[in-house]
């Protein structure tokens, strides 16, 4: 491998990602679809295929997945997870039924078999915590009454990944029932142990890791995360779940300082991950699956809106808040691509990767739009059903509550460590 070629190609990719990110920020738009498109352009079948740097980018993509899940875990405490499970468990079950089953059904209708059905179920099930948190911040809704409901559903989805990903790993590896059951038992045992240790000894662990020197703190946390992720991968539990559990185990000032230290690294390697997924997809394979992806996107947009509306109304929130909660949950992103990426690496049905790419591209664009306009559209349709002239409704009603300064500072990572004390 020519090191000069690797440096030139990787430098060009990172520079392109930086420019795309700035362009997306000017449009108040998620950069994820632009990163995916960049990968399609640089990959096999694209305009400028990469040569020597693809293996290097693959390693960066794996680190990106680990950092995405670590940062997600840092946003939650074990107490948060327990309380969300108690209060919103039924909403989580409805979320799974309405949004995972369409993906599984689509795979079976396309004749891709049960393994692809398990993959597409996860792709259509999980919303994008990062995109949704950013959209809520942009719309100044972090202090609204329906926002804790939205965050609770996201927490339940993220926690469910600790069970789903080991199952998916076993299925993709072609393990039998015994091996698959053992993998799931190991994953659940690890998750339960980490949660127990986090509740009882989280402060002790955090004090042990804590350091006033940012360099030492960064090295210890990053090294620990990669070590645990690697061990989890070796046990067929998934590196992503291992990183997520490390994030949950850290608490207090250590979690806060680590979040700030790792955020630039997370953003860099996460962008590399999205590019690598695009590199693994031949653009010529997308047009044949574009129509199924569009149909699936339309169906699961409606089911996500229904999920959020029902969950919000169930907790006593008004109709407007219900529509806003439903519209906010539509965006898919990082987890959907992680799941599809595992399938592509395992060599599952060739159409899964292109379909997932097209699906995420559609919904990561549609998500901010549904978050903004679900409320006025829902009230308009209700007025039509009632047979009266619809009153004009602005998508951002100035009468809506605005977040306090504390809530406005919540990072756009989709977590609830900061939100749990203020969103109620």
């Amino acid at each position: 491998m020519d090191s000069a070629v690797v440096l030139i190609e990787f430098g060009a990719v990172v520079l392109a990602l930086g420019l795309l990110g700035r362009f997306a920020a000017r449009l108040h738009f998620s950069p994820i679809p632009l990163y995916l498109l960049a990968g399609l352009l640089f990959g096999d079948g694209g305009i400028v295929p990469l040569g020597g740097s693809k293996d290097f980018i693959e390693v960066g993509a794996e680190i990106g997945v680990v950092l995405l899940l670590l940062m997600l875990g840092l946003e939650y405490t074990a107490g948060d997870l327990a309380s969300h499970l108690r209060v919103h468990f039924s909403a989580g079950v409805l979320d799974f039924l309405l949004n995972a089953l369409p993906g599984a059904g689509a795979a079976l209708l396309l004749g891709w078999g049960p393994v692809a059905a398990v993959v597409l179920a996860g792709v259509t099930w999980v919303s994008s915590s990062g995109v949704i948190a950013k959209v809520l911040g942009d719309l100044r809704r972090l202090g609204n009454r329906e926002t804790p409901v939205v965050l609770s559903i996201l927490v339940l989805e993220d926690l469910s990944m600790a069970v789903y990903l080991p199952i998916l790993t076993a299925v993709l590896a072609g393990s039998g029932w015994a091996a698959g059951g053992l993998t799931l038992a190991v994953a659940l045992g690890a998750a339960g142990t980490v949660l127990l240790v986090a509740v009882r000894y989280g402060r002790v662990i955090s004090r042990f890791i804590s350091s006033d020197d940012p360099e030492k703190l960064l090295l210890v946390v990053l090294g620990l995360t990669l070590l645990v992720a690697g061990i989890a991968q070796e046990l067929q539990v998934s590196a992503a779940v291992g990183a997520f559990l490390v994030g949950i185990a850290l608490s207090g000032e250590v979690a806060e300082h680590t979040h700030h230290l790792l955020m630039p690294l997370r953003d860099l390697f996460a962008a590399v991950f999205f590019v690598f997924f695009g590199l693994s997809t031949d653009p010529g394979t997308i047009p044949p699956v574009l129509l199924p992806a569009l149909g699936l996107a339309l169906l699961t947009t409606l089911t996500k809106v229904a999920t959020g509306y029902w969950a919000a109304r169930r907790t006593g929130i008004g109709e407007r808040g219900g529509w806003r909660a439903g519209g906010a949950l539509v965006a898919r992103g990082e987890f959907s691509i992680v799941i599809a990426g595992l399938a592509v690496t395992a060599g599952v049905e060739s159409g899964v990767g292109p379909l997932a790419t097209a699906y995420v591209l559609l919904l990561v664009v549609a998500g901010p739009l549904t978050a903004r306009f679900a409320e006025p559209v829902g009230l308009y349709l209700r007025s039509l059903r009632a047979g009266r002239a619809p009153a004009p409704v602005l998508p951002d009603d100035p009468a809506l509550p605005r977040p306090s300064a504390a809530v406005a500072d919540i990072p756009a990572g989709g977590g609830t460590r900061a939100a749990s004390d203020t969103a109620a």
Side-chain angles (χ1 to χ4, degrees):
M1 181 185 297
D2 189 338
S3 60
V5 172
V6 172
L7 291 174
I8 292 171
E9 289 185 349
F10 187 67
V13 169
V14 173
L15 176 60
L17 293 179
L19 296 175
L20 289 174
R22 291 176 62 178
F23 177 71
R26 287 180 178 272
L27 299 178
H28 301 286
F29 190 70
S30 169
I32 291 176
L34 299 182
Y35 295 158
L36 289 171
L37 289 174
L40 292 173
L41 292 176
F42 288 127
D44 296 334
I47 297 175
V48 188
L50 294 180
S53 64
K54 192 170 182 179
D55 292 340
F56 182 75
I57 291 176
E58 182 176 4
V59 175
E62 293 179 3
I63 295 175
V65 175
V66 168
L67 291 179
L68 276 170
L69 273 294
L70 170 65
M71 297 290 281
L72 200 59
L74 288 172
E75 298 292 343
Y76 306 137
T77 66
D80 289 335
L81 297 177
S83 64
H84 288 304
L85 278 174
R86 283 197 308 270
V87 177
H88 296 288
F89 180 76
S90 58
V93 172
L94 180 68
D95 181 36
F96 169 77
L97 293 176
L98 289 184
N99 298 287
L101 295 184
L108 295 177
L109 287 174
L110 291 168
W112 290 350
V115 175
V118 174
V119 173
L120 274 187
V123 170
T124 59
W125 174 18
V126 185
S127 300
S128 171
S129 300
V131 173
I132 290 170
K134 187 174 190 312
V135 168
L136 291 176
D138 291 343
L139 295 177
R140 301 173 64 192
R141 292 182 183 172
L142 288 170
N144 283 17
R145 289 186 62 222
E146 76 276 0
T147 296
V149 176
V150 174
L151 295 177
S152 295
I153 292 175
L154 295 176
V155 170
L156 287 171
E157 289 179 349
D158 297 337
L159 184 60
S160 298
M161 288 297 100
V163 177
Y164 170 80
L165 287 176
I167 294 175
L168 178 63
T169 303
V171 169
L172 293 176
S175 304
W177 286 104
L182 179 61
T183 299
L184 179 58
V186 171
L188 293 178
T193 302
V194 170
L195 292 177
L196 180 64
V197 170
V199 170
R200 295 191 175 182
Y201 307 107
R203 293 181 182 275
V204 176
I205 296 172
S206 296
R207 281 200 301 269
F208 175 76
I209 294 177
S210 179
S211 173
D212 293 332
D213 187 339
E215 178 186 352
K216 294 182 176 61
L217 177 62
L218 176 63
L219 291 174
V220 169
V221 173
L222 186 58
L224 176 64
T225 303
L226 294 175
L227 178 64
V228 172
I231 293 172
Q233 187 82 0
E234 191 68 23
L235 295 174
Q236 299 296 313
V237 175
S238 166
V241 172
F244 182 67
L245 294 176
V246 170
I248 291 174
L250 301 180
S251 62
E253 291 185 0
V254 170
E256 183 179 349
H257 293 162
T258 302
H259 189 283
H260 290 299
L261 287 173
L262 286 177
M263 191 178 296
L265 277 178
R266 187 275 312 268
D267 292 342
L268 169 62
F269 285 105
V272 171
F273 165 71
F274 291 121
V275 167
F276 179 74
F277 186 81
L279 289 174
S280 305
T281 304
D282 186 343
T285 61
I286 290 182
V289 298
L290 191 55
L291 190 59
L294 180 59
L296 197 56
L298 290 174
L299 175 60
T300 53
T301 292
L302 296 177
T303 54
K304 274 293 182 182
V305 171
T307 299
Y309 182 87
W310 181 85
R313 296 287 281 163
R314 177 176 171 270
T315 58
I317 293 171
E319 184 177 5
R320 288 191 172 193
W323 288 118
R324 290 195 297 268
L329 286 169
V330 168
R332 310 303 202 274
E334 56 274 11
F335 251 132
S336 297
I337 297 298
V338 168
I339 293 166
L342 292 174
V344 169
T345 302
V348 177
E349 170 65 43
S350 60
V352 170
L355 178 62
T357 301
Y359 177 80
V360 170
L361 282 171
L362 289 168
L363 289 188
V364 84
V365 172
L369 298 177
T370 58
R372 187 175 182 87
F373 295 106
E375 176 194 356
V377 170
L379 296 179
Y380 178 84
L381 294 176
R382 186 197 65 174
S383 299
L384 290 180
R385 287 198 308 269
R388 63 177 183 270
V393 181
L394 297 176
D396 289 312
D397 189 338
L400 295 178
R402 298 305 183 192
S404 64
V407 179
D409 290 336
I410 296 176
T416 57
R417 280 189 194 269
S420 58
D421 295 331
T422 54

